[in-house]
Amino acid sequence: YQAKQASLSSKDEEELNTALLDIGLVNPVTKVSAGTNYHHKLAKQLADFLCDSEKGILKKFGGMLTLTDIYALFNRARGTEMISPQDLV
């Protein structure tokens, strides 16, 4: 992600930041709130984050991202309720 970000123009970087703010998750799934359904609800939230027809982040990157980039972008959108790498995989 950082290598990609270094090659972005300031306009592109501004558009990406705006997209991330737009996609920001209002009510992120947590282990406490979801209980035993945590991974199921997290998977649903991640799918919406990536593929939502209006705000999906994959569309902004031409349909392809590395898992590392997805992890970083998803955690950025979640704010302080970040997930672990194990929860993503």
Side-chain angles (χ1 to χ4, degrees), residues 3-4 16-17 20 23 41-42 53 60 63-64 68 75 79-80:
K4 220 183 242 187
L16 175 61
N17 288 334
L20 287 173
I23 293 173
K41 289 183 178 184
L42 184 64
S53 61
K60 303 283 184 197
M64 188 180 313
T68 306
N75 270 333
T80 59

Side-chain angles (χ1 to χ4, degrees), residues 4-66:
K4 220 183 242 187
Q5 191 174 23
S7 66
L8 293 175
S9 71
S10 61
K11 181 182 178 194
D12 290 338
E13 189 172 341
E14 184 178 320
E15 286 178 11
L16 175 61
N17 288 334
T18 300
L20 287 173
L21 288 174
D22 288 344
I23 293 173
L25 303 171
V26 177
N27 191 14
V29 173
T30 65
K31 288 181 180 180
V32 173
S33 68
T36 59
N37 291 325
Y38 173 67
H39 287 102
H40 177 73
K41 289 183 178 184
L42 184 64
K44 170 77 170 109
Q45 192 171 62
L46 180 61
D48 290 344
F49 174 77
L50 293 172
C51 301
D52 184 88
S53 61
E54 292 179 22
K55 297 182 181 181
I57 197 73
L58 281 178
K59 187 184 285 188
K60 303 283 184 197
F61 287 94
M64 188 180 313
L65 283 168
T66 66

Side-chain angles (χ1 to χ4, degrees), residues 73-88:
L73 293 168
F74 190 56
N75 270 333
R76 184 182 286 180
R78 289 176 61 88
T80 59
E81 298 293 337
M82 295 188 283
I83 62 168
S84 70
Q86 291 81 11
D87 288 337
L88 183 64

